[in-house]
Amino acid sequence: MLYKKNSEKLLSCINNYLDDLNAIVSDKIDGIMLPKAHVSDIKELGNILTELENKKSLTKKIKIIPIVELAESLLEVETMVFLDRVDGILLGAEDFSSDLEVVRTKEGEEIFYARSKIAVACCAAKIDAIDTPFTDTKDNEGLEKDCLKAIKLGMKAKSCIHPNQIETVNEINELMKELNLGIVQQVCQNLLLERVSVRDLRTILEVLSLQIKVSNSPDYLTEQVRQALARSICKQNLSDSGDLLAVTLLLMLYFHLSIPLNFL
């Protein structure tokens, strides 16, 4: 199931079983996700739903969210988005990559085209482009980066494969609503030019969302982010007594520093 924040939509995923449809179709659900969808499948499901809605005297029309998991489905997406009942398109990157016979990676280069095509088609139809789940439930940093990549391409929502991903996904989406994507990219580029790591994406976005209210100057924002990252790194490396430990391999550097260092 997929639940979208700031919405009361409850969606159920089915695999084309009539008994399942008969059991779940009610006023309690808003939509149905259709795996490995084709245009013909969507039309057929729509006809079945019409019959069940009339039979059960439903008070609303149930929507359909096709899951694009096949190359053939991606080629049909421009037609799918304008079909009756279709309320969004979900990319299923694992099966899609398998169908393409390519390796699915965390970097996601292999699904760049699929993400872009779905985002553009959904934008034209004014429906939600829903990004594929990030399957490593223990890699929160990777999830944050994956969310940002999807947002940059125009995805408006992201599906989750585990409950522990929901908070991160919602936080990234909320932060990005407050920021200009160009500013985020410029600040990250500035940091990289200075050889400052941008791995701590959450800290970067949180600082930007606060400091953008003071100034939208990339130089000012870069400095604020740099300071925040420095504080974060120092905090992570404090000893139990509150001392900041450092390691130096150059004895001359030690003698020139004005603060005492503890050798490890």
Side-chain angles (χ1 to χ4, degrees), residues 200-220:
D200 191 354
L201 183 60
R202 181 174 298 195
T203 295
I204 293 173
L205 294 179
E206 287 176 350
V207 172
L208 289 178
S209 67
L210 291 174
Q211 296 299 327
I212 196 74
K213 300 170 185 177
V214 179
S215 171
N216 62 358
S217 165
D219 290 338
Y220 169 80

Side-chain angles (χ1 to χ4, degrees), residues 186-239:
Q186 183 62 61
V187 169
C188 288
Q189 287 174 0
N190 289 346
L191 293 171
L192 289 172
L193 286 174
E194 298 173 10
R195 296 186 177 181
V196 177
S197 172
V198 294
R199 292 180 61 187
D200 191 354
L201 183 60
R202 181 174 298 195
T203 295
I204 293 173
L205 294 179
E206 287 176 350
V207 172
L208 289 178
S209 67
L210 291 174
Q211 296 299 327
I212 196 74
K213 300 170 185 177
V214 179
S215 171
N216 62 358
S217 165
D219 290 338
Y220 169 80
L221 294 172
T222 300
E223 178 60 28
Q224 297 305 308
V225 170
R226 185 193 300 108
Q227 292 180 17
L229 291 174
R231 288 192 295 270
S232 177
I233 293 171
C234 288
K235 185 176 180 180
Q236 294 172 22
N237 291 279
L238 287 177
S239 66

